[in-house]
């Protein structure tokens, strides 16, 4: 079996709990959502985006070549879980080779995730707020996804992008869903990079206080890789 891969590269993790860690990134083509701020071409179709069809063995070999000193292999996109059958082959092989597997996901495809969860170590799960992402709400999907991660005792953290349009009611709803599963879930408020300004940071701080009423660890962390100009 093969999968469409946009790129495999080594860099530092720019978002979330493991920001600054040296990782290998495997970027899959295609996404099931369309967030307002999306900055990757990996959501496009294979006609428009440069990508290649690779087998599990080819991905493993490329990862191996560039993985020295890396903390983990980050599976990103797009949405990697769209490639469930391919990941069913790749994830156990990555684990067998001794890698920590770090899944970057939009946190919606809970059935696919349930199938693969045993071979995922770190779950970097987005919560898409309708007022920020400008799309329909995914509350039920996010709740079920997080339940899978927490019930399997995964190292899961939640990332919420905050824009100038983000509504307090959405933050409260996300907070309550996370708190219901596990109030100690590491939670990141990520200010939208193109809107970073004093008003946006002030808003993040207000939202941090709101989240800290029910959650134990809520941090404001921007996309660090954008500031230091690495991909
Ligand atoms: S889930 Fe991620 S890759 Fe998909 S559209 Fe949203 S930001 Fe882009």
């Amino acid at each position: 079996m093969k999968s469409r891969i946009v790129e495999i590269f080594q860099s530092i993790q720019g978002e979330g709990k493991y920001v600054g860690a040296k990782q290998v990134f495997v970027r899959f083509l295609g996404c099931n959502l369309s967030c307002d701020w999306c900055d990757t071409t990996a959501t496009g179709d294979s006609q428009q985006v440069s990508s290649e069809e690779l087998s599990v063995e080819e991905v493993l070999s490329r990862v191996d070549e560039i993985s020295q000193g890396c903390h983990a292999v980050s599976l990103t996109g797009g949405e990697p879980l769209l490639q469930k059958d391919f990941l069913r082959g790749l994830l156990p092989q990555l684990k067998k080779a001794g890698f920590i597997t770090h899944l970057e996901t939009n946190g919606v495809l809970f059935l696919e995730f349930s199938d693969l969860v045993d071979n995922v170590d770190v779950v970097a799960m987005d919560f898409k707020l309708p007022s920020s992402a400008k799309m329909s709400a995914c509350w039920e999907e996010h709740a079920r996804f997080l339940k899978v991660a927490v019930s399997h005792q995964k190292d899961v953290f939640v990332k919420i992008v905050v824009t100038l349009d983000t509504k307090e009611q959405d933050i409260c709803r996300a907070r309550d869903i996370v708190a219901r599963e596990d109030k100690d879930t590491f939670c990141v408020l990520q200010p939208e990079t193109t809107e970073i300004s004093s008003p946006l940071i002030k808003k993040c701080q207000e939202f941090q206080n709101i989240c800290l009423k029910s959650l134990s660890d809520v941090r404001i962390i921007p996309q660090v890789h954008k500031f230091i100009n690495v991909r």
Side-chain angles (χ1 to χ4, degrees):
M1 158 160 284
K2 296 198 170 194
S3 179
R4 274 230 158 254
I5 310 285
V6 176
E7 55 183 349
I8 299 175
F9 62 101
Q10 182 269 304
S11 187
I12 63 157
Q13 177 56 250
E15 299 182 358
K17 184 176 178 181
Y18 291 97
V19 70
K22 182 179 179 184
Q23 295 188 340
V24 174
F25 295 81
V26 180
R27 188 181 303 285
F28 291 87
L29 182 68
C31 188
N32 52 323
L33 300 182
S34 58
C35 307
D36 199 45
W37 60 76
C38 186
D39 62 355
T40 176
T41 55
T43 56
D45 66 37
S46 54
Q47 306 297 313
Q48 297 163 331
V49 181
S50 163
S51 63
E52 48 186 333
E53 291 243 312
L54 297 177
S55 65
V56 167
E57 292 69 31
E58 288 167 326
V59 171
L60 281 170
S61 157
R62 295 214 198 163
V63 166
D64 196 50
E65 278 170 24
I66 56 174
S67 63
Q68 213 210 335
C70 283
H71 151 262
V73 176
S74 187
L75 306 169
T76 189
E79 173 50 56
L81 291 174
L82 288 175
Q83 316 301 327
K84 184 185 82 170
D85 293 338
F86 184 80
L87 290 179
R88 199 183 276 135
L90 179 64
L91 281 164
Q93 293 299 324
L94 286 171
K95 296 290 299 163
K96 201 169 154 195
F99 293 111
I100 291 172
T101 54
H102 181 287
L103 174 68
E104 297 188 333
T105 172
N106 58 36
V108 168
L109 301 174
F110 55 90
L111 290 176
E112 289 80 351
F113 179 50
S114 304
D115 241 36
L116 301 166
V117 64
D118 288 342
N119 285 305
V120 176
D121 296 311
V122 181
V123 188
M125 175 194 172
D126 285 356
F127 252 68
K128 305 293 188 187
L129 307 189
S131 56
S132 323
K134 310 279 191 246
M135 56 181 218
S136 324
C138 305
W139 303 121
E140 179 63 20
E141 292 88 344
H142 286 326
R144 294 180 74 169
F145 196 104
L146 184 58
K147 187 180 276 303
V148 175
V150 170
S151 64
H152 286 80
Q153 299 180 311
K154 293 293 154 180
D155 179 2
V156 57
F157 68 91
V158 166
K159 189 189 78 194
I160 301 172
V161 174
V162 177
T163 73
L164 289 167
D165 291 332
T166 303
K167 290 197 165 62
E168 184 177 323
Q169 65 193 52
D170 284 355
I171 287 287
C172 291
R173 186 139 183 199
R175 172 199 66 190
D176 292 347
I177 290 170
V178 176
R180 206 177 307 132
E181 289 310 324
D182 181 2
K183 74 172 184 51
D184 294 326
T185 303
F186 188 97
C187 197
V188 176
L189 299 176
Q190 181 177 291
E192 214 299 284
T193 304
T194 61
E195 293 184 1
I196 285 187
S197 57
S198 298
L200 184 61
I201 300 306
K202 190 162 175 280
K203 194 167 192 178
C204 286
Q205 289 176 295
E206 287 165 9
F207 288 165
Q208 185 180 38
N209 287 330
I210 288 169
C211 290
L212 283 168
K213 287 179 183 163
S214 309
L215 301 173
S216 64
D217 197 352
V218 183
R219 306 189 192 190
I220 300 170
I221 305 177
Q223 287 182 299
V224 169
H225 59 298
K226 299 275 176 75
F227 283 100
I228 58 176
N229 205 22
V230 296
R231 65 174 165 160

